[in-house]
Amino acid sequence: MIRIAVLGAGRIGRIHAGNAAAIPNAKLVVVADPVPAAANALAERLGCEASTDCMAVLQRSDIDAVVIGTPTDTHIAFMLEAVARGKAVLCEKPIDLDMEKSLAAAREVERRNGRVMLAFNRRFDPTSQAFRQAIDAGDVGEVRQVIISSRDPGMPPRDYVEHSGGIFRDMVIHDLDMARWLLGEEPVEVMAMASRLVDSSLSELGDFDTVMVQLRTASGKQCHINCCREAVYGYDQRMEVSGSKGMLLQENLRPSTIRRWSKEATDVREPLLNFFLERYVDAYRNELQAFVDALNNGTPLPTSVDDGLKALRLAECALESARSGKAITV
Ligand SMILES: NC(=O)c1ccc[n+]([C@@H]2O[C@H](COP(=O)([O-])OP(=O)(O)OC[C@H]3O[C@@H](n4cnc5c(N)ncnc54)[C@H](O)[C@@H]3O)[C@@H](O)[C@H]2O)c1
């Protein structure tokens, strides 16, 4: 039984806490958030303790594992404290917004033999897992191209955007991780274009809302990622992997498979699932289960700090390419 503390009772913290309370072989002991109402409401709903002091929670001896779902600029401090106290960590992406700080944190985790998993939830989505299994089984032969379309239904709140580190580090980082995972080889070259087609005021933050990224690996495998902060038709998540023997295609999920025909229109389907909390509900649960299972079985964690560093590095290269108009060597 892994005794879990969840730090952060916001959008993602609520998901992780709900899963920690529900999955087998885990016990949600405490949720912590500096906003008392947020911590109390979540703790009351899930029947665990509430705290407003994340650091104090990390000192407790009755906690085995910590899920960090607090704002990005707090991740490293909590991660290193948890590791120093011998606790395993599931840390939300990205590790941090700064590469040097992230590298120093990774060195410290390694020095202490820390157990840290980066929360790249999409790897645990049933369709992504089926993709990976099909690739591993040789169904598409040698992978040649990966295409990822990833569009949010709408812009996040301004204060979130201001602290997000920009679209590449905040949003595209998920797709960059998927690209690495599906290509099976590290990208060595990155080219990106970025525009402000949704909110021109993002220029005040040096941020963008509409981007395309191209990656190339040493053997020449390619990936194309396109992301937009707004898709009026809903949360758009599609992937394609093609290779020497065939292709895999992931369509969007919908609440049901019903299709309607009438005088006005034919083959009308239900709207797409609303956003990441709905689309990746299984992925978040499977992710936490994989974390807990690895701790219980003493097996390696399925993702690492290094995965976080590599995705962050690709995000930084993409930003540099978008700003300079040049291809960037990773
Ligand atoms: N994997 C995913 O799909 C996914 C999705 C959303 C967010 N995230 C990541 O999760 C993290 C949190 O994002 P969110 O959308 O839940 O944000 P949020 O703003 O909804 O929630 C953050 C919570 O942290 C609390 N908080 C603020 N300052 C704090 C501090 N100094 N110490 C401790 N807690 C503090 C806030 O009170 C809030 O309840 C970010 O790093 C983000 O990148 C990941």
Side-chain angles (χ1 to χ4, degrees), residues 9 14 34 61 64 81 105 145 165 227 240 249 255 262 282 287 309 311 315 319 326:
R14 289 196 291 271
S61 58
D64 305 307
E81 183 64 22
Q145 290 186 314
C227 282
E240 193 179 298
L249 184 63
S262 68
D282 293 334
E287 172 183 69
L309 290 176
L319 179 60
K326 293 185 178 139

Side-chain angles (χ1 to χ4, degrees), residues 10-12 33-35 69-72 75 92-93 121 174 276 284:
R11 291 187 306 175
I12 205 70
D33 194 293
V35 177
T70 51
T72 298
H75 290 177
E92 265 309 333
K93 45 54 61 177
N121 58 292
H174 279 293
F276 61 91
Y284 293 120

Side-chain angles (χ1 to χ4, degrees), residues 71-76 92-103 159-171 173 229 308-309 312-313 315-316 319:
T72 298
D73 56 3
T74 65
H75 290 177
I76 287 181
E92 265 309 333
K93 45 54 61 177
I95 303 175
D96 190 80
L97 300 180
D98 183 81
M99 195 66 197
E100 290 310 313
K101 266 180 75 185
S102 303
L103 283 165
D159 62 335
Y160 180 90
V161 177
E162 280 171 10
H163 296 102
S164 70
I167 188 169
F168 291 107
R169 295 188 190 94
D170 179 54
M171 183 178 170
I173 198 158
R229 287 283 197 187
L309 290 176
L312 186 60
R313 173 80 189 124
E316 299 211 325
L319 179 60

Side-chain angles (χ1 to χ4, degrees), residues 17-285:
N19 288 330
I23 62 171
N25 304 322
K27 181 177 192 287
L28 177 65
V29 177
V30 56
V31 293
D33 194 293
V35 177
N40 289 335
L42 186 58
E44 204 167 301
R45 177 160 69 78
L46 298 174
C48 68
E49 294 173 48
S51 169
T52 52
D53 189 341
C54 292
M55 278 297 179
V57 161
L58 297 175
Q59 323 289 320
R60 288 174 56 155
S61 58
D62 62 342
I63 302 293
D64 305 307
V66 180
V67 181
I68 301 175
T70 51
T72 298
D73 56 3
T74 65
H75 290 177
I76 287 181
F78 293 143
M79 180 197 293
L80 295 184
E81 183 64 22
V83 165
R85 302 271 163 188
K87 302 183 193 318
V89 176
L90 173 63
C91 180
E92 265 309 333
K93 45 54 61 177
I95 303 175
D96 190 80
L97 300 180
D98 183 81
M99 195 66 197
E100 290 310 313
K101 266 180 75 185
S102 303
L103 283 165
R107 282 194 294 272
E108 181 61 10
V109 170
E110 196 178 347
R111 191 180 72 79
R112 290 188 176 269
N113 256 330
R115 291 163 300 166
V116 179
M117 171 170 161
L118 252 285
F120 286 120
N121 58 292
R122 289 189 197 168
R123 292 194 189 201
F124 302 90
D125 180 57
T127 312
S128 309
Q129 298 253 314
F131 259 53
R132 186 53 200 258
Q133 281 159 14
I135 292 168
D136 290 346
D139 292 1
V140 292
E142 281 296 312
V143 172
R144 291 173 179 160
Q145 290 186 314
V146 173
I147 298 174
I148 302 174
S149 296
S150 181
R151 303 190 186 115
D152 284 356
M155 287 290 300
R158 184 73 171 194
D159 62 335
Y160 180 90
V161 177
E162 280 171 10
H163 296 102
S164 70
I167 188 169
F168 291 107
R169 295 188 190 94
D170 179 54
M171 183 178 170
V172 187
I173 198 158
H174 279 293
D175 308 295
L176 294 166
D177 179 67
M178 281 311 290
R180 290 184 57 235
W181 197 55
L182 295 175
L183 286 166
E185 265 180 36
E186 294 303 331
V188 295
E189 192 178 8
V190 181
M191 282 166 68
M193 277 189 214
S195 310
R196 299 174 190 106
L197 303 178
V198 181
D199 182 354
S200 59
S201 75
L202 287 173
S203 59
E204 294 158 15
L205 308 174
D207 199 1
F208 306 94
D209 51 48
T210 308
V211 304
M212 283 191 169
V213 181
Q214 292 179 70
L215 309 169
R216 190 177 59 78
T217 70
S219 74
K221 294 179 184 180
Q222 301 166 357
C223 175
H224 168 90
I225 296 169
N226 67 80
C227 282
C228 185
R229 287 283 197 187
E230 182 185 74
V232 293
Y233 52 89
Y235 190 41
D236 189 4
Q237 296 284 287
R238 286 169 290 139
M239 288 195 305
E240 193 179 298
V241 177
S242 61
S244 55
K245 283 195 191 164
M247 182 182 79
L248 305 167
L249 184 63
Q250 178 196 306
E251 300 280 11
N252 278 306
L253 293 188
R254 294 162 200 269
S256 82
T257 56
I258 192 168
R259 294 153 73 189
R260 298 166 201 271
W261 278 257
S262 68
K263 270 193 212 164
E264 290 76 32
T266 59
D267 207 0
V268 176
R269 295 198 274 167
E270 290 200 65
L272 306 182
L273 290 174
N274 181 50
F275 204 3
F276 61 91
L277 297 177
E278 294 82 9
R279 170 62 186 81
Y280 289 115
V281 65
D282 293 334
Y284 293 120
R285 191 190 53 247

